[in-house]
């Protein structure tokens, strides 16, 4: 997505900060602090994890979702634990994280850390899509196309996702009509 190409995630404030803002703050001599929240940059995995844990302790849904990502991939010194990741994503989704809703849907769809359950996956994708998650909308399009054979509905999902900037959805639409 355009955001992930031009921004960097900051664990201190759980924000995506554009590269231009990071460069501008560096020109002002603020290389050692976050360009968004001005928190000193963490050095080492333990310091990064401590920042995330501090946000998790405050029930920040994006921090809880991020900790789920850390557990899922086994990052910054944590063991890979998919079941714990799903628990964290579910908690984050309950607190309002749209991206966590999508990740719980993926977990049920592919059986990561939980039993595979397509119907539950679709319900989570639908919730996330209704709240504006383009990847969930794309996943619904894939489901309609590959599992239900409903090309019209799949095209609508892909079109909405493509309008939100999801390039893979645009490519699916092109392949459906060529």
């Amino acid at each position: 997505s355009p955001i992930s190409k031009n921004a960097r995630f900051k664990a201190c404030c759980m924000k995506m900060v554009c590269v231009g803002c990071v460069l501008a703050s560096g020109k002002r001599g603020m290389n050692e602090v976050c360009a968004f929240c001005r928190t000193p940059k963490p050095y080492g995995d333990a310091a990064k994890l401590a920042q995330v844990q501090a946000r998790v302790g405050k029930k920040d849904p994006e921090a809880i979702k991020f900790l789920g990502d850390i557990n899922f991939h086994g990052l910054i010194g944590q063991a890979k634990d998919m079941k714990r990741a799903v628990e964290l994503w579910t908690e984050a989704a309950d607190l309002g994280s749209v991206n966590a809703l999508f990740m719980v849907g993926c977990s049920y769809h592919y059986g990561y850390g939980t039993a595979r359950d397509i119907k539950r996956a679709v319900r989570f994708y639908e919730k996330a899509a209704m709240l504006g998650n383009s990847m969930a909308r794309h996943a619904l399009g894939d489901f309609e196309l590959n599992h239900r054979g409903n090309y019209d509905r799949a095209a609508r999902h892909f079109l909405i996702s493509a309008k939100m900037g999801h390039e893979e959805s645009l490519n699916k639409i092109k392949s459906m009509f060529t």
Side-chain angles (χ1 to χ4, degrees):
S1 76
I3 292 173
S4 61
K5 290 178 187 174
N6 301 309
R8 300 293 174 262
F9 183 79
K10 301 296 179 181
C12 50
C13 53
M14 298 292 139
K15 302 288 183 204
M16 293 292 287
V17 179
C18 78
V19 174
C21 294
V22 172
L23 291 172
S25 68
K27 285 184 177 182
R28 291 189 191 111
M30 300 186 315
N31 288 322
E32 299 302 313
V33 296
C34 172
F36 185 80
C37 70
R38 309 294 191 249
T39 301
K41 287 184 180 178
Y43 290 98
D45 289 346
K48 289 176 188 173
L49 189 58
Q51 280 188 334
V52 174
Q53 291 287 10
R55 302 288 302 186
V56 168
K58 295 175 183 174
K59 295 290 185 194
D60 179 339
E62 291 309 314
I64 296 168
K65 187 261 181 201
F66 185 63
L67 187 58
D69 295 347
I70 289 169
N71 278 271
F72 183 80
H73 296 289
L75 302 173
I76 60 173
Q78 297 296 297
K80 194 173 187 176
D81 185 350
M82 291 184 184
K83 186 175 181 180
R84 177 73 178 133
V86 174
E87 291 169 2
L88 289 163
W89 289 332
T90 302
E91 181 182 350
D94 290 342
L95 291 170
S97 172
V98 177
N99 293 327
L101 279 170
F102 171 70
M103 294 309 297
V104 173
C106 289
S107 298
Y108 282 112
H109 187 162
Y110 298 106
Y112 298 142
T114 187
R116 192 163 190 243
D117 186 342
I118 298 295
K119 288 182 181 181
R120 284 182 100 176
V122 169
R123 283 199 306 267
F124 279 101
Y125 288 153
E126 286 172 344
K127 288 179 188 177
M130 293 301 289
L131 292 170
N133 186 293
S134 65
M135 294 179 296
R137 183 67 69 176
H138 177 84
L140 288 171
D142 270 342
F143 178 76
E144 291 294 338
L145 184 65
N146 299 323
H147 293 281
R148 290 188 177 154
N150 190 337
Y151 292 96
D152 291 338
R153 193 163 176 159
R156 277 188 252 145
H157 283 302
F158 290 140
L159 192 59
I160 292 168
S161 181
K163 285 180 180 178
M164 297 164 91
H166 197 269
E167 198 169 320
E168 195 176 333
S169 290
L170 182 61
N171 293 335
K172 283 277 192 173
I173 292 168
K174 287 178 185 176
S175 69
M176 287 175 72
F177 294 101
T178 56

